């Protein structure tokens, strides 16, 4: 498997992979209607828009994209960033792809220039991020009103 920067020509394949995650993985933990709305919102154009606001990477295996993730600065902050749109092809879950993406994002200059990094984790991903050193921002380790867990890693 190889990790490389996202290119605009990857947008459809990345969009399809993200949509599959919402409709095959996250749908087990969240209301179907919400997952369908999120899936519909992750068009190739949205993927390109996200990539223009930060640094997006993809993981490729045998000519197909099997993972993606983005790091971007938090608006208005000079020393904090956020990790966004981290997804792995459903059939590649638990095969090290998520770790590859996260390790790549953590080597990126936007990440290394930050004192603190945030991410929003789904129910499915919380355990993975905990293993990778991210901690809950909520003292009660509770999800927010959208059912997402706000997590962070303090770097300094």
């Amino acid at each position: 498997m190889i990790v490389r920067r996202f290119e605009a020509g990857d947008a459809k394949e990345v969009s399809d992979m993200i949509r599959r995650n919402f409709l095959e993985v996250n749908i087990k933990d969240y209301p179907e209607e919400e997952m369908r709305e999120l899936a519909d919102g992750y068009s190739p154009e949205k993927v390109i828009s996200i990539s223009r606001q930060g640094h997006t990477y993809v993981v490729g295996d045998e000519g197909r994209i099997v993972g993606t993730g983005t790091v971007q600065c938090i608006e208005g902050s000079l020393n904090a960033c956020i990790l966004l749109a981290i997804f792995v092809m459903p059939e590649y879950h638990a095969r090290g792809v998520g770790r590859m993406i996260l390790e790549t994002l953590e080597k990126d200059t936007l990440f290394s220039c930050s004192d603190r990094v945030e991410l929003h984790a789904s129910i499915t991903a919380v355990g993975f991020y905990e293993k990778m050193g991210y901690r809950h921002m909520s003292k009660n380790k509770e999800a927010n009103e959208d059912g997402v867990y706000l997590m962070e890693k303090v770097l300094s």
Side-chain angles (χ1 to χ4, degrees):
M1 285 188 261
I2 60 149
V3 180
R4 64 171 173 78
R5 285 291 290 269
F6 170 87
E7 300 169 0
D10 300 327
K12 169 111 174 57
E13 194 172 355
V14 170
S15 169
D16 290 346
M17 177 183 53
I18 292 171
R19 291 170 52 90
R20 281 192 59 201
N21 269 274
F22 286 129
L23 299 175
E24 296 174 26
V25 179
N26 297 109
I27 203 164
K28 296 171 187 170
D29 297 314
Y30 296 96
E32 180 178 344
E33 185 177 321
E34 288 178 26
M35 292 303 98
R36 290 196 184 285
E37 284 179 30
L38 282 170
D40 289 345
Y42 266 89
S43 65
E45 294 77 21
K46 178 169 182 165
V47 171
I48 289 171
S49 175
I50 291 169
S51 75
R52 288 183 178 149
Q53 297 172 35
H55 299 162
T56 300
Y57 295 86
V58 294
V59 177
D61 185 35
E62 298 182 8
R64 69 186 249 197
I65 294 172
V66 298
T68 189
T70 300
V71 57
Q72 67 179 235
C73 295
I74 293 176
E75 190 173 335
S77 176
L78 299 175
N79 62 347
C81 66
I82 187 165
L83 304 183
L84 301 168
I86 300 173
F87 290 95
V88 174
M89 189 73 76
E91 57 270 26
Y92 278 78
H93 284 199
R95 292 180 52 187
V97 177
R99 180 177 294 276
M100 286 177 71
I101 294 166
L102 200 54
E103 288 173 349
T104 299
L105 295 173
E106 290 182 347
K107 291 176 188 168
D108 187 273
T109 55
L110 295 177
F111 186 99
S112 60
C113 292
S114 298
D115 295 332
R116 190 175 64 79
V117 179
E118 292 182 15
L119 61 82
H120 299 174
S122 68
I123 292 168
T124 308
V126 167
F128 168 72
Y129 291 122
E130 288 173 335
K131 285 184 212 169
M132 297 299 290
Y134 289 80
R135 299 293 169 244
H136 292 268
M137 293 171 68
S138 161
K139 291 185 195 274
N140 299 332
K141 298 183 179 183
E142 294 177 351
N144 68 10
E145 62 278 355
D146 295 324
V148 178
Y149 295 83
L150 305 180
M151 301 182 81
E152 69 179 348
K153 184 183 269 190
V154 177
L155 304 175
S156 55

